[in-house]
Amino acid sequence: LKRRTFMAAVAATLLFSASASAEYKSEYTVSTVLPSAFPWGQAADKWVELVKERSEGRINMKIYSNSQLVSGDQTKEFSAMRSGLIDMAVGSTINWSPQVPELNLFSLPFLMPDHSAIDAITQGEAGEAVFAAIEKRGVTPLAWGENGFRELSNSKREITKPEDLQGLKIRVVGSPLFQDTFTALGANPTQMSWADAKPALTTGAVDGQENPLSVFNVARIDQVGQKYLTRWHYMADPLVFAVSNRVWQQFSPEDQALLKQAAIDAGKWEIEKSRAELNDTLAKIKERGVKVTDLTPEQHAAFVAATASVYEKWAPRIGEELVRKAQDAIANR
Ligand code: X2X
């Protein structure tokens, strides 16, 4: 079925570019990794709903979750959108960072201490610079959403200091930055798609993973032996609502504005909702017997110090100026 969906998307794209008319497609594909049970999927649902309503049914979007349009390989989503195989997406900065190095900004360990720090970046000049970088690479970004602060879980032991990570196999995804972060901490990082993550946790092929509390909760990561969770807040991945440039150019200016405003509204709605749900989600995870650990300022500082090398290596790749802009925005928030 996945393969057929993919081939249908390919055929639809070829047909459309051959006719190159001003007619809108009867349906626009929207790619996501996580489906409607998660805030991420709900962000996409909201966008589709608002566009349908405000265009009075002229613009129809259909969500394909679980990265099915790229056969589960979420790090190929951006390329597929750029080439027009996917029309639109609500995607994580992590998954697009292999193609857009500037997106690694959000993955710099311990750059953003809290939600207001994320907002300081996305709502300011640094956010504009990130959007310009996305656009330069063939995709039109419209609005921000949020996957969330990514917390560390594992099946072996409580983690309060870098030494506790020694030798643990940790599933990561995205750019090689994550290899560097977890290697700096003494862990053994393994790159793997979300589709492969839960099976790998189940069999014990990996010992741990990192994801927002909402993902841990809805995907029931506790059921695959992840008994320890450290709320270290080491990074957060915003979501970006975006449209392939090829598709974007086919919309009238009025409809471009409609799509963009709907994405902004959906993003705001989802960010507020997912932040408001956090306490409740944490309580649920604790109720299921997961040992949740918060770090003292001293313990936190040890993780910051242990990952400092990641900045030295990655700031030049991300762009020194962009990193500085982000740091200034956070300092002045
Ligand atoms: O794969 C993950 O960890 C997820 C679902 O959070 C992303 O797509 C970045």
Side-chain angles (χ1 to χ4, degrees), residues 56-121:
E56 294 173 330
R58 284 182 303 105
I59 304 172
N60 287 299
M61 295 144 75
K62 182 160 183 218
I63 298 169
Y64 293 84
S65 56
N66 297 313
S67 323
Q68 59 186 285
L69 296 175
V70 281
S71 307
D73 188 351
Q74 64 212 62
T75 59
K76 301 268 159 59
E77 188 178 62
F78 189 87
S79 308
M81 201 176 9
R82 177 169 51 197
S83 67
L85 289 179
I86 294 176
D87 298 322
M88 308 178 180
V90 180
S92 160
T93 53
I94 292 179
N95 297 331
W96 297 358
S97 60
Q99 291 83 33
V100 188
E102 290 85 351
L103 290 175
N104 285 296
L105 174 68
F106 300 98
S107 306
L108 283 173
F110 307 102
L111 171 69
M112 304 176 292
D114 51 30
H115 288 130
S116 70
I118 305 177
D119 297 341
I121 296 181

Side-chain angles (χ1 to χ4, degrees), residues 9-242:
V10 172
T13 305
L14 293 177
L15 258 178
F16 189 78
S17 35
S19 67
S21 77
E23 292 273 301
Y24 286 1
K25 294 190 193 185
S26 57
E27 180 185 296
Y28 292 91
T29 55
V30 182
S31 176
T32 68
V33 177
L34 299 177
S36 301
F38 300 82
W40 184 337
Q42 290 157 17
D45 288 344
K46 191 62 145 186
W47 187 27
V48 170
E49 185 188 306
L50 291 177
V51 169
K52 189 179 177 122
E53 198 179 287
R54 295 175 187 178
S55 71
E56 294 173 330
R58 284 182 303 105
I59 304 172
N60 287 299
M61 295 144 75
K62 182 160 183 218
I63 298 169
Y64 293 84
S65 56
N66 297 313
S67 323
Q68 59 186 285
L69 296 175
V70 281
S71 307
D73 188 351
Q74 64 212 62
T75 59
K76 301 268 159 59
E77 188 178 62
F78 189 87
S79 308
M81 201 176 9
R82 177 169 51 197
S83 67
L85 289 179
I86 294 176
D87 298 322
M88 308 178 180
V90 180
S92 160
T93 53
I94 292 179
N95 297 331
W96 297 358
S97 60
Q99 291 83 33
V100 188
E102 290 85 351
L103 290 175
N104 285 296
L105 174 68
F106 300 98
S107 306
L108 283 173
F110 307 102
L111 171 69
M112 304 176 292
D114 51 30
H115 288 130
S116 70
I118 305 177
D119 297 341
I121 296 181
T122 57
Q123 303 309 309
E125 260 181 60
E128 278 169 29
V130 170
F131 269 16
I134 293 174
E135 190 148 10
K136 203 176 77 190
R137 289 180 182 80
V139 167
T140 303
L142 303 181
W144 299 96
E146 190 156 288
N147 194 19
F149 274 106
R150 301 177 71 90
E151 317 295 9
L152 179 66
S153 77
N154 86 97
S155 59
K156 300 286 186 200
R157 53 184 173 259
E158 182 180 17
I159 310 278
T160 59
K161 51 187 185 302
E163 294 73 38
D164 296 331
L165 270 161
Q166 195 64 45
L168 288 189
K169 279 193 218 127
I170 307 291
R171 175 267 175 179
V172 294
V173 70
S175 83
L177 182 152
F178 291 93
Q179 301 286 334
D180 293 336
T181 298
F182 283 89
T183 303
L185 292 168
N188 206 339
T190 310
Q191 155 87 21
M192 193 181 293
S193 71
W194 173 247
D196 293 335
K198 210 168 166 185
L201 291 165
T202 306
T203 61
V206 295
D207 303 312
Q209 62 90 44
E210 44 77 66
N211 249 303
L213 291 182
S214 65
V215 179
F216 187 95
N217 177 45
V218 178
R220 293 303 307 269
I221 300 294
D222 58 295
Q223 285 181 333
V224 292
Q226 297 288 290
K227 289 182 286 210
Y228 304 96
L229 183 72
T230 296
R231 293 208 304 155
W232 65 343
H233 269 51
Y234 88 122
M235 64 152 295
D237 50 332
L239 301 172
V240 178
F241 294 70

Side-chain angles (χ1 to χ4, degrees), residues 256-298:
Q256 287 180 344
L258 186 158
L259 279 157
K260 182 170 176 136
Q261 192 56 52
I264 291 170
D265 295 344
K268 271 198 189 130
W269 172 85
E270 183 263 343
I271 290 170
E272 262 171 44
K273 180 170 188 280
S274 64
R275 290 179 186 178
E277 285 169 354
L278 272 173
N279 282 340
D280 207 41
T281 302
L282 182 62
K284 276 190 194 139
I285 292 170
K286 284 181 177 167
E287 264 164 38
R288 296 197 192 115
V290 175
K291 168 120 183 79
V292 177
T293 303
D294 291 319
L295 300 177
T296 65
E298 293 74 28

